[in-house]
Amino acid sequence: MSRFTSLGVPALALLPLLLGCSDSTGPATSSLTAISPAPNATAVNTGTTIVLTFQHSMSPGMEQYMDLHTGGVTGPTVPMTCSWSPDSTILTCTPSNPLAPGTQYTMHVGAGMTDTQGHRLGMGDWTGQGGHWVDGGMMGGTHDGQPVGAMDDHWRHDGHYGMTFTFTTA
């Protein structure tokens, strides 16, 4: 007799619950819950910081999957420093210099990000937040000077290279 049945619960009744648990190879468990500046915002202050809020604590080093581009995702990257909140759920990125006025910027959030449990981010609902899927063709075959194929382990997951969010400065 199973120890589950000795508790009054048939073991098969617990199977869906056990299968629903995940490990680092299982489904994504974390998502982006807020981004500032808001996607597609206009008249954004040139001294703005970019703030991303995640549902769960993110793994150390995940800031490496964040780029800010002038123009679109193929544009040059803007130097910035990023730091995590103490609980690793809020990432604040500060450009090294004020942003150019009247310019579109694109924040690229790479699909390789993981939470502290090793789960990849669930990006499926980010389009509802103003995000746009990124594929290799959108990046012109390179990203920040690297061939797209060389970045697959870091930026790519489930056939895409993450999401982009744009805003325009005042």
Side-chain angles (χ1 to χ4, degrees):
M1 174 178 250
S2 147
R3 75 173 203 221
F4 293 117
T5 55
S6 67
L7 296 172
V9 179
L12 288 178
L14 292 175
L15 189 57
L17 295 173
L18 295 173
L19 292 176
C21 296
S22 63
D23 58 19
S24 63
T25 61
T29 59
S30 191
S31 188
L32 181 69
T33 59
I35 185 167
S36 176
N40 305 311
T42 58
V44 172
N45 185 310
T46 58
T48 193
T49 57
I50 291 87
V51 180
L52 300 132
T53 304
F54 297 91
Q55 182 181 14
H56 297 287
S57 295
M58 299 303 291
S59 296
M62 291 298 104
E63 65 279 0
Q64 70 180 324
Y65 298 105
M66 306 297 295
D67 277 342
L68 181 63
H69 296 268
T70 303
V73 73
T74 60
T77 55
V78 174
M80 64 181 178
T81 56
C82 297
S83 60
W84 289 100
S85 62
D87 67 354
S88 298
T89 60
I90 300 172
L91 181 62
T92 303
C93 298
T94 306
S96 298
N97 296 302
L99 301 175
T103 303
Q104 177 183 310
Y105 289 90
T106 300
M107 176 59 86
H108 182 190
V109 181
M113 294 183 83
T114 58
D115 66 17
T116 55
Q117 299 299 310
H119 301 110
R120 298 275 181 146
L121 289 176
M123 294 185 164
D125 61 345
W126 294 12
T127 56
Q129 296 183 40
H132 298 277
W133 291 108
V134 178
D135 63 36
M138 292 174 68
M139 297 190 305
T142 66
H143 185 272
D144 201 20
Q146 297 181 37
V148 167
M151 305 178 331
D152 283 356
D153 289 342
H154 300 288
W155 286 85
R156 184 175 170 160
H157 180 64
D158 286 344
H160 60 85
Y161 290 87
M163 283 270 173
T164 60
F165 300 89
T166 60
F167 64 90
T168 304
T169 53

